[in-house]
Amino acid sequence: MQRRRLKTGVLISGSGTNLQALIDACASSDFPAEIVLVISNRADAGGLARAKRAGIPTKVIPHKEYPSREAFDTAVDTALRGGGVEFVCLAGFMRLLTPGFVNQWHDQLVNVHPSLLPAFKGIDAVEQALAAGVSRTGCTVHFVRPEMDTGPILLQMEVPIEAGDSSEVLHDRIRQAEHRAYPQALRLIAAGKVTVSGETVTITDN
Ligand code: GAR
Protein backbone atom coordinates (compact mmCIF):
# COMPACT_ATOMS: atom_id res chain seq x y z
CA MET A 1 0.00 0.00 0.00
CA GLN A 2 1.24 3.50 -0.91
CA ARG A 3 2.26 5.54 2.14
CA ARG A 4 0.89 9.08 2.49
CA ARG A 5 3.18 11.55 0.75
CA LEU A 6 3.71 15.18 1.77
CA LYS A 7 1.85 17.39 -0.72
CA THR A 8 4.48 19.85 -1.86
CA GLY A 9 4.22 23.07 -3.86
CA VAL A 10 7.25 24.48 -5.68
CA LEU A 11 7.71 28.19 -6.48
CA ILE A 12 9.99 29.06 -9.40
CA SER A 13 11.03 32.02 -11.55
CA GLY A 14 13.51 30.48 -13.98
CA SER A 15 15.03 27.44 -15.60
CA GLY A 16 13.88 25.08 -12.87
CA THR A 17 16.81 22.67 -12.69
CA ASN A 18 16.22 22.35 -8.94
CA LEU A 19 12.54 21.72 -9.62
CA GLN A 20 13.67 18.96 -12.01
CA ALA A 21 15.80 17.39 -9.29
CA LEU A 22 12.77 17.38 -6.99
CA ILE A 23 10.52 15.97 -9.76
CA ASP A 24 13.05 13.18 -10.40
CA ALA A 25 13.26 12.35 -6.68
CA CYS A 26 9.46 12.27 -6.35
CA ALA A 27 9.27 9.83 -9.28
CA SER A 28 10.54 7.15 -6.92
CA SER A 29 7.61 5.34 -5.34
CA ASP A 30 9.34 5.26 -1.94
CA PHE A 31 9.99 9.05 -1.87
CA PRO A 32 7.88 10.50 0.96
CA ALA A 33 6.80 13.68 -0.89
CA GLU A 34 4.92 14.47 -4.11
CA ILE A 35 4.75 17.73 -6.05
CA VAL A 36 1.11 18.74 -6.47
CA LEU A 37 1.55 22.29 -7.83
CA VAL A 38 4.24 24.46 -9.44
CA ILE A 39 3.76 28.24 -9.38
CA SER A 40 5.84 30.73 -11.36
CA ASN A 41 5.75 34.53 -11.20
CA ARG A 42 7.03 34.55 -14.79
CA ALA A 43 5.15 33.11 -17.78
CA ASP A 44 8.47 32.41 -19.58
CA ALA A 45 10.05 30.34 -16.78
CA GLY A 46 11.63 27.22 -18.30
CA GLY A 47 10.61 25.23 -15.24
CA LEU A 48 6.94 25.37 -16.27
CA ALA A 49 7.65 23.01 -19.19
CA ARG A 50 9.46 20.63 -16.82
CA ALA A 51 6.37 20.49 -14.58
CA LYS A 52 4.01 20.00 -17.52
CA ARG A 53 6.17 17.16 -18.88
CA ALA A 54 5.84 15.48 -15.49
CA GLY A 55 2.06 15.97 -15.46
CA ILE A 56 2.17 18.41 -12.53
CA PRO A 57 -0.43 21.24 -12.42
CA THR A 58 1.12 24.68 -13.01
CA LYS A 59 -0.03 28.22 -12.36
CA VAL A 60 1.48 31.51 -13.52
CA ILE A 61 0.93 34.41 -11.12
CA PRO A 62 2.63 37.43 -12.72
CA HIS A 63 3.80 39.72 -9.91
CA LYS A 64 3.47 42.79 -12.16
CA GLU A 65 -0.31 42.36 -12.24
CA TYR A 66 -0.62 42.95 -8.48
CA PRO A 67 -0.66 46.38 -6.83
CA SER A 68 1.52 45.33 -3.87
CA ARG A 69 3.75 42.54 -2.59
CA GLU A 70 1.02 41.67 -0.08
CA ALA A 71 -1.59 41.27 -2.86
CA PHE A 72 0.77 39.07 -4.88
CA ASP A 73 1.61 36.91 -1.87
CA THR A 74 -2.08 36.53 -1.02
CA ALA A 75 -2.71 35.23 -4.55
CA VAL A 76 0.18 32.74 -4.18
CA ASP A 77 -1.09 31.63 -0.76
CA THR A 78 -4.64 31.16 -2.11
CA ALA A 79 -3.36 29.09 -5.04
CA LEU A 80 -1.21 26.90 -2.76
CA ARG A 81 -4.04 26.22 -0.32
CA GLY A 82 -6.52 25.67 -3.19
CA GLY A 83 -4.11 23.10 -4.63
CA GLY A 84 -3.94 21.19 -1.36
CA VAL A 85 -0.30 22.11 -0.73
CA GLU A 86 1.04 21.29 2.75
CA PHE A 87 4.69 22.25 2.28
CA VAL A 88 6.46 24.75 0.01
CA CYS A 89 9.88 24.65 -1.67
CA LEU A 90 11.34 27.81 -3.20
CA ALA A 91 13.47 26.73 -6.16
CA GLY A 92 15.03 29.76 -7.84
CA PHE A 93 12.03 31.91 -6.87
CA MET A 94 13.38 35.44 -7.25
CA ARG A 95 10.78 37.41 -5.25
CA LEU A 96 11.15 38.44 -1.64
CA LEU A 97 8.12 37.12 0.25
CA THR A 98 6.31 39.32 2.77
CA PRO A 99 6.53 38.54 6.52
CA GLY A 100 2.77 37.78 6.45
CA PHE A 101 3.27 34.99 3.91
CA VAL A 102 6.43 33.65 5.54
CA ASN A 103 4.75 33.52 8.95
CA GLN A 104 1.68 31.73 7.49
CA TRP A 105 4.04 28.99 6.27
CA HIS A 106 6.32 28.94 9.33
CA ASP A 107 8.51 25.81 9.21
CA GLN A 108 6.54 24.66 6.15
CA LEU A 109 8.66 26.72 3.73
CA VAL A 110 12.25 26.05 2.61
CA ASN A 111 14.64 27.67 0.16
CA VAL A 112 17.81 26.66 -1.64
CA HIS A 113 20.50 29.33 -1.88
CA PRO A 114 23.78 29.20 -3.87
CA SER A 115 26.23 29.91 -1.02
CA LEU A 116 27.17 28.65 2.40
CA LEU A 117 24.88 30.95 4.41
CA PRO A 118 25.27 33.22 6.29
CA ALA A 119 27.95 34.13 3.74
CA PHE A 120 26.90 35.84 0.51
CA LYS A 121 23.19 36.58 0.92
CA GLY A 122 21.23 38.11 -1.95
CA ILE A 123 20.71 37.58 -5.66
CA ASP A 124 24.39 37.67 -6.69
CA ALA A 125 25.76 35.10 -4.22
CA VAL A 126 27.96 33.38 -6.82
CA GLU A 127 29.54 36.66 -7.99
CA GLN A 128 30.08 37.70 -4.35
CA ALA A 129 31.99 34.47 -3.63
CA LEU A 130 34.23 35.03 -6.68
CA ALA A 131 34.85 38.67 -5.74
CA ALA A 132 35.73 37.69 -2.15
CA GLY A 133 38.47 35.34 -3.40
CA VAL A 134 37.39 32.43 -1.19
CA SER A 135 38.48 28.94 -2.19
CA ARG A 136 35.20 27.24 -1.29
CA THR A 137 31.53 28.11 -1.47
CA GLY A 138 28.48 25.86 -1.75
CA CYS A 139 24.74 25.68 -1.27
CA THR A 140 22.35 25.88 1.65
CA VAL A 141 18.84 24.51 2.18
CA HIS A 142 17.18 26.49 4.96
CA PHE A 143 13.78 27.17 6.48
CA VAL A 144 12.59 30.63 5.45
CA ARG A 145 12.26 33.55 7.83
CA PRO A 146 11.10 37.09 6.93
CA GLU A 147 14.61 38.56 6.58
CA MET A 148 16.17 37.65 3.21
CA ASP A 149 18.27 34.45 3.17
CA THR A 150 17.96 33.82 6.88
CA GLY A 151 16.40 30.94 8.81
CA PRO A 152 17.35 27.63 10.39
CA ILE A 153 19.86 25.76 8.22
CA LEU A 154 18.91 22.21 7.27
CA LEU A 155 21.68 21.11 4.89
CA GLN A 156 24.82 22.60 3.38
CA MET A 157 27.16 21.20 0.73
CA GLU A 158 30.59 22.62 0.01
CA VAL A 159 31.81 23.30 -3.54
CA PRO A 160 35.41 24.17 -4.51
CA ILE A 161 36.22 27.30 -6.49
CA GLU A 162 38.78 26.58 -9.22
CA ALA A 163 41.23 29.11 -10.69
CA GLY A 164 39.68 30.90 -13.64
CA ASP A 165 36.07 30.00 -12.78
CA SER A 166 33.50 32.27 -14.41
CA SER A 167 30.30 32.88 -12.47
CA GLU A 168 28.47 30.61 -14.96
CA VAL A 169 30.91 27.72 -14.47
CA LEU A 170 30.87 28.12 -10.70
CA HIS A 171 27.07 28.40 -10.60
CA ASP A 172 26.77 25.17 -12.62
CA ARG A 173 29.04 23.42 -10.10
CA ILE A 174 26.91 24.78 -7.23
CA ARG A 175 23.72 23.69 -9.00
CA GLN A 176 25.06 20.11 -9.13
CA ALA A 177 25.39 20.22 -5.34
CA GLU A 178 21.91 21.78 -5.01
CA HIS A 179 20.42 18.96 -7.08
CA ARG A 180 21.70 16.48 -4.47
CA ALA A 181 21.01 18.60 -1.38
CA TYR A 182 17.44 19.72 -2.13
CA PRO A 183 15.89 16.27 -2.69
CA GLN A 184 17.81 14.98 0.34
CA ALA A 185 16.39 17.83 2.45
CA LEU A 186 12.82 17.26 1.24
CA ARG A 187 13.15 13.53 1.90
CA LEU A 188 14.23 14.17 5.50
CA ILE A 189 11.42 16.67 6.11
CA ALA A 190 8.70 14.55 4.51
CA ALA A 191 9.85 11.49 6.43
CA GLY A 192 9.37 13.44 9.68
CA LYS A 193 13.06 13.38 10.53
CA VAL A 194 13.52 17.14 10.92
CA THR A 195 12.62 19.29 13.92
CA VAL A 196 13.18 23.02 14.37
CA SER A 197 13.61 24.16 17.93
CA GLY A 198 15.02 27.48 19.08
CA GLU A 199 15.81 28.25 15.44
CA THR A 200 18.13 25.25 15.24
CA VAL A 201 17.49 22.19 13.10
CA THR A 202 17.84 18.67 14.44
CA ILE A 203 17.92 15.74 12.02
CA THR A 204 17.17 12.24 13.21
CA ASP A 205 18.13 9.91 10.38
CA ASN A 206 18.17 6.29 11.41
C1 GAR B 1 19.67 28.21 -7.92
O1 GAR B 1 21.06 28.19 -7.94
C2 GAR B 1 19.17 28.76 -6.60
O2 GAR B 1 20.00 28.46 -5.53
C3 GAR B 1 19.18 30.24 -6.88
O3 GAR B 1 18.71 30.35 -8.18
C4 GAR B 1 19.11 29.21 -8.93
C5 GAR B 1 17.89 28.67 -9.64
O4 GAR B 1 18.26 27.71 -10.56
N1 GAR B 1 18.38 30.94 -5.94
C6 GAR B 1 18.69 32.13 -5.46
O5 GAR B 1 19.67 32.74 -5.79
C7 GAR B 1 17.69 32.67 -4.46
N2 GAR B 1 18.25 33.77 -3.75
P1 GAR B 1 17.20 26.75 -11.21
O6 GAR B 1 16.06 27.62 -11.73
O7 GAR B 1 17.94 26.09 -12.34
O8 GAR B 1 16.73 25.78 -10.17
Side-chain angles (χ1 to χ4, degrees), residues 74-86:
T74 299
V76 173
D77 183 70
T78 302
L80 289 169
R81 295 191 192 281
V85 170
E86 301 168 313

Side-chain angles (χ1 to χ4, degrees), residues 22-44:
L22 295 174
I23 290 172
D24 292 347
C26 290
S28 232
S29 61
D30 67 346
F31 196 81
E34 62 180 325
I35 302 173
V36 296
L37 181 63
V38 171
I39 296 176
S40 173
N41 64 309
R42 300 180 57 106
D44 61 354

Side-chain angles (χ1 to χ4, degrees), residues 12-21 46-47 50 90-95 111-115 120-126 138-140 142 148-149 171-172 174-175 178-179 182:
I12 61 166
S13 301
S15 63
T17 65
N18 279 285
L19 166 66
Q20 188 68 56
R50 296 176 186 276
L90 306 181
F93 183 68
M94 296 312 210
R95 299 286 304 165
N111 179 43
V112 64
H113 182 79
S115 76
F120 310 134
K121 295 174 181 169
I123 54 165
D124 55 352
V126 180
C139 67
T140 302
H142 65 98
M148 186 181 62
D149 297 330
H171 201 163
D172 277 351
I174 295 171
R175 274 197 175 91
E178 292 182 328
H179 299 165
Y182 217 3

Side-chain angles (χ1 to χ4, degrees), residues 80-138:
L80 289 169
R81 295 191 192 281
V85 170
E86 301 168 313
F87 191 85
V88 181
C89 291
L90 306 181
F93 183 68
M94 296 312 210
R95 299 286 304 165
L96 194 58
L97 292 160
T98 54
F101 181 95
V102 171
N103 291 331
Q104 286 286 337
W105 290 90
H106 189 80
D107 289 349
Q108 309 299 325
L109 174 63
V110 290
N111 179 43
V112 64
H113 182 79
S115 76
L116 296 172
L117 290 173
F120 310 134
K121 295 174 181 169
I123 54 165
D124 55 352
V126 180
E127 289 77 9
Q128 287 182 58
L130 283 173
V134 292
S135 60
R136 310 197 148 257
T137 181

